[in-house]
Amino acid sequence: MGTLLLIALTATFINNFVVVQFLGICPFLGVSKDTKSAFGMGVAVTFIMTLTCLITYPIYTSILVPLGLEYLEIIVFIFVIASLVQMIESVLKKFSPTLYNSMGIYLPLITTNCAVLGVAELVIDVGTAEALGLASMGLLNSVAYGFFGGIGFLISIVIMSGLREKLKNAPFNKHLKGFPIAMITATFIAMAFYVFSMISL
Amino acid sequence: MGKLKKIASDGLIFSNPTLRLVLGTCPTLALTTAASNGIGMGLAVTFVLICSNVLISLLKNVIPNTVRIPAFILIIATFVTVVKLVMDKFLPDLYSSLGVYLPLIVVNCIILGRAESFAFKNPVFDSALDGLFMGLGFTGAMTLMGAVREILSNGSIFDISIWNANSFSIGFFGSSAGAFLTYGLFIAIFNYVVNKIQKKLAKKEAK
C-alpha cells in the first residue's frame, strides 16, 4: 500500500508528466482552450495511459526480454498504442458523439502523444523503479504509474484550460498572443508544481 | 535554385518547426537545459527526418492512402531504433542524457508532420532537402535556447565555463518553469523578427 501511495504522489505531482517531465505538451497547449474538452482529453489520455501500461509491460517482460528482442520495444509499443487509440476512437464515436466532436482532430493525435509512449518507456526503465526504491516495477505498480501519470496530466491540463479561459479577452501585445502567452501561463503552473519537488518521501 | 532557397528559408525561418509551427515541443522544453543536449537531440532528429522523408517519398506511390499514418510511424520507428542503437554504442554519455526523449522521437510531431505535408507529395530530392533544413531549423532553435538557458542558469556554454556560477547564476532558467518561460519568450521574439522580415520582403516585391 505504501508503494502505491508513493507512486501516486510521484507520478501525479512530484514528477508530473506535463510540467516536470514535459511529456504530452502538444495536447496540453492544443486542447486547453476550454475546460470541457480539456477534461475530456485528460480522461481519454488517462484511460489510454493505464491500458498502455497494462499491455506493454507484460509484452516487454514476458515476450521481448526472454527472446532477447528488447531493441524492438519502440516499434512494438507504438503499434500497441496506435491500435488502442483506434479502439477508443470507435468506442467514443459510438457512445459519446459530443465528446468525440469536442476532441476532433486531437483524438488520433493521442497516438503521437509523448505521454503515452513515454509512460510505456518509463515503466520498463530501471531508473523509475530505483527512484521508487523497487528492484523492478511489476505489473500492478506499472499500471498504477500509468494511471496516476494520467491523473497528473488531467490535473495540469484542466488548470491550464481554466487559466486560458480567463486570459482569453485580456489585451496582449499581438506578438505574445497564442503560443507565447500559453507558454508563459504554463510557467506559473510549473512553478506551482515545483513546490512538490521539495517533498522528501 | 529558387526552389532550394524556398525550402531552406521555410525550414530555417518562415516555417521553423520549433519557433513558428511550435511542433515537437516536448524535447525542446526538456532538453534545452544545456546547449550540447540541444545539438545532440537536434542532429538525431535531423537524421531521422531526412531518412524518413526520403523513404516515404520513394514509397509514396506504393503506400495506400488509407493506411499511410501507420506506415509512416513504422518507417519512423525503424529509423529511431537505428539511431538509438548507434548512439547507445558510440555516444553513451549523450545517450544517457537524452534518456526517454530519444525513443520519443517516434512521436515527434515534426517528423510525422513533414511526412504528411511534404514527403508524401513531393519528389525524393526535395524531400531530403526539406528534411535537412527542417532538421537544421529544429537543431538551431534548440541549441540557441539551450545556450541561453545554460548561460543564465550555469554560467557556462557547451560545458565551457564563462564565469563562476557561484557568484552569479539564475537557477530558475534551469528548472522546468524556466523552460516554459524561455520557450514562450523565444517564440514571441522570433515572431516579431519574422513579421518585420516579411513586411520588408513584401515592400520589396511591391516595388
Side-chain angles (χ1 to χ4, degrees):
Chain A
M1 199 58 215
T3 320
L4 279 183
L5 190 66
L6 186 62
I7 289 176
L9 275 177
T10 309
T12 315
F13 296 111
I14 302 171
N15 282 337
N16 182 285
F17 267 67
V18 181
V19 294
V20 180
Q21 307 205 49
F22 305 115
L23 298 170
I25 298 287
C26 303
F28 178 69
L29 295 173
V31 202
S32 59
K33 286 200 179 89
D34 69 291
T35 317
K36 207 169 155 242
S37 45
F39 186 78
M41 185 71 182
V43 171
V45 168
T46 309
F47 187 48
I48 292 184
M49 277 170 73
T50 317
L51 281 180
T52 301
C53 290
L54 185 66
I55 298 170
T56 55
Y57 189 80
I59 288 182
Y60 185 76
T61 47
S62 55
I63 300 176
L64 295 183
V65 173
L67 295 176
L69 294 173
E70 289 98 331
Y71 63 90
L72 282 179
E73 61 176 273
I74 301 176
I75 298 174
V76 171
F77 287 179
I78 195 74
F79 265 81
V80 168
I81 295 166
S83 7
L84 259 179
V85 171
Q86 197 69 52
M87 191 189 83
I88 302 290
E89 198 184 349
S90 321
V91 170
L92 267 189
K93 211 177 197 169
K94 180 102 173 88
F95 294 108
S96 175
T98 20
L99 197 57
Y100 180 79
N101 288 335
S102 68
M103 279 188 248
I105 180 180
Y106 283 99
L107 200 61
L109 284 185
I110 291 186
T111 315
T112 55
N113 184 338
C114 323
V116 180
L117 185 61
V119 79
E121 292 281 342
L122 280 174
V123 291
I124 59 160
D125 188 54
V126 198
T128 316
E130 270 171 6
L132 294 164
L134 304 166
S136 72
M137 286 296 276
L139 182 60
L140 178 67
N141 291 340
S142 303
V143 175
Y145 198 86
F147 174 73
F148 288 113
I151 296 291
F153 178 86
L154 176 66
I155 292 175
S156 33
I157 196 172
V158 169
I159 297 177
M160 180 72 170
S161 62
L163 289 176
R164 284 184 79 177
E165 271 182 4
K166 294 268 180 248
L167 286 174
K168 202 159 53 188
N169 295 321
F172 288 119
N173 179 309
K174 70 173 178 184
H175 299 290
L176 277 174
K177 274 215 171 97
F179 282 116
I181 202 67
M183 291 283 182
I184 292 165
T185 313
T187 309
F188 293 104
I189 301 175
M191 280 164 79
F193 272 86
Y194 184 69
V195 178
F196 290 111
S197 70
M198 310 283 189
I199 301 172
S200 59
L201 291 161
Chain B
M1 193 58 213
K3 211 173 189 180
L4 173 70
K5 207 174 157 192
K6 191 183 178 309
I7 292 177
S9 63
D10 266 355
L12 295 175
I13 301 167
F14 299 116
S15 302
N16 186 297
T18 313
L19 297 171
R20 291 287 282 180
L21 307 178
V22 197
L23 294 173
T25 40
C26 306
T28 312
L29 287 164
L31 295 173
T32 47
T33 44
S36 53
N37 282 352
I39 284 212
M41 186 67 187
L43 293 182
V45 169
T46 308
F47 172 78
V48 176
L49 197 49
I50 297 173
C51 293
S52 68
N53 261 6
V54 167
L55 196 62
I56 288 165
S57 179
L58 281 172
L59 294 175
K60 64 175 177 284
N61 297 325
V62 185
I63 301 173
N65 212 23
T66 41
V67 293
R68 65 183 194 282
I69 302 284
F72 293 166
I73 291 181
L74 179 64
I75 290 169
I76 297 166
T78 312
F79 286 117
V80 173
T81 308
V82 171
V83 171
K84 194 182 164 190
L85 293 175
V86 170
M87 203 181 266
D88 192 10
K89 173 87 181 150
F90 295 105
L91 297 163
D93 288 343
L94 185 61
Y95 180 78
S96 59
S97 69
L98 297 187
V100 70
Y101 298 98
L102 190 61
L104 288 181
I105 297 177
V106 178
V107 289
N108 190 317
C109 337
I110 299 173
I111 300 176
L112 201 60
R114 292 327 284 175
E116 172 83 11
S117 68
F118 198 95
F120 204 56
K121 295 172 194 152
N122 286 290
V124 180
F125 186 64
D126 290 359
S127 303
L129 278 180
D130 181 72
L132 175 68
F133 285 109
M134 279 286 161
L136 289 181
F138 177 72
T139 313
M142 272 195 77
T143 314
L144 208 61
M145 275 172 65
V148 168
R149 286 183 64 195
E150 199 181 342
I151 290 176
L152 289 174
S153 68
N154 220 357
S156 64
I157 186 163
F158 290 108
D159 295 327
I160 302 160
S161 186
I162 298 178
W163 63 69
N164 187 354
N166 292 329
S167 58
F168 176 78
S169 69
I170 313 169
F172 174 77
F173 282 96
S175 72
S176 50
F180 282 112
L181 185 67
T182 318
Y183 198 0
L185 294 180
F186 256 76
I187 301 173
I189 295 168
F190 198 75
N191 275 347
Y192 176 76
V193 173
V194 169
N195 280 348
K196 281 263 146 114
I197 296 176
Q198 273 171 339
K199 259 184 206 157
K200 229 177 221 173
L201 285 180
K203 240 185 214 166
K204 222 182 202 176
E205 227 150 75
K207 272 179 193 171

